[in-house]
Amino acid sequence: MPVYKLYYFPIKGRGEVIRLIFACAGVEFEDIRIPFEDWPSRKHEMPFGQIPILEVDGKKMSQSSAICRYLAREFNLYGKDNFAGYKSDEFGDAMYDVMLKLPWTEKDEKKKEELTKIAVNETIPPMLLPFEEYLQGDYWAGELTIGDITFASCADHLLSLRPDIFDATPKLKALKERVFSIPNIAKYVATRPKTSM
């Protein structure tokens, strides 16, 4: 079994989907959470000067989406064929488009709060409606893939900002709950560090 180390900040962010994939697969990994104040002195260690980074037997891999796809192939979470893999990517990438509507880089806290309210109350809810329409069955690609795990992680964050955001999309709400009810994922979520992001 390879030795896995994940380097990321002490938040959920882009690292959380990777953590959830490991949890779902029941595979051990070292979760290295770098404090923000330590990042300037550690940045030079990382490919492209950014994180998350997954280290596999000493080899460092960058880019969160590429890491997720790599792990999904390793742990049979990428669908039964190439089309299912595409459907998984379609769902995950489309959800990242939704999440980009949040003001992640805004430094002014008051403005960030205002922009977040606009995003979760006005911009994002209509974007969720096509997902609700296109979701057929329990999972996006017909079986559990990283697309569903990516969605569930994004949904978890959106729910922390507005608890009723999925009330108009009950199939999506049920999908998030279904993924988070998978025993290994439920165990991880119950014990993971509490973070605001």
Side-chain angles (χ1 to χ4, degrees), residues 132-151:
E132 180 79 359
E133 180 183 347
Y134 295 137
L135 179 61
Q136 303 295 322
D138 288 345
Y139 297 110
W140 191 261
E143 61 185 300
L144 178 69
T145 66
I146 57 162
D148 304 294
I149 296 171
T150 299
F151 164 77

Side-chain angles (χ1 to χ4, degrees), residues 67-97:
I67 291 168
C68 287
R69 287 191 287 270
Y70 169 82
L71 291 176
R73 291 184 184 101
E74 290 289 297
F75 304 150
N76 297 313
L77 289 168
Y78 206 54
K80 64 181 180 293
D81 56 31
N82 194 36
F83 184 73
Y86 152 73
K87 292 296 290 181
S88 174
D89 287 342
E90 174 189 50
F91 196 24
D93 290 353
M95 270 312 295
Y96 280 140
D97 287 344

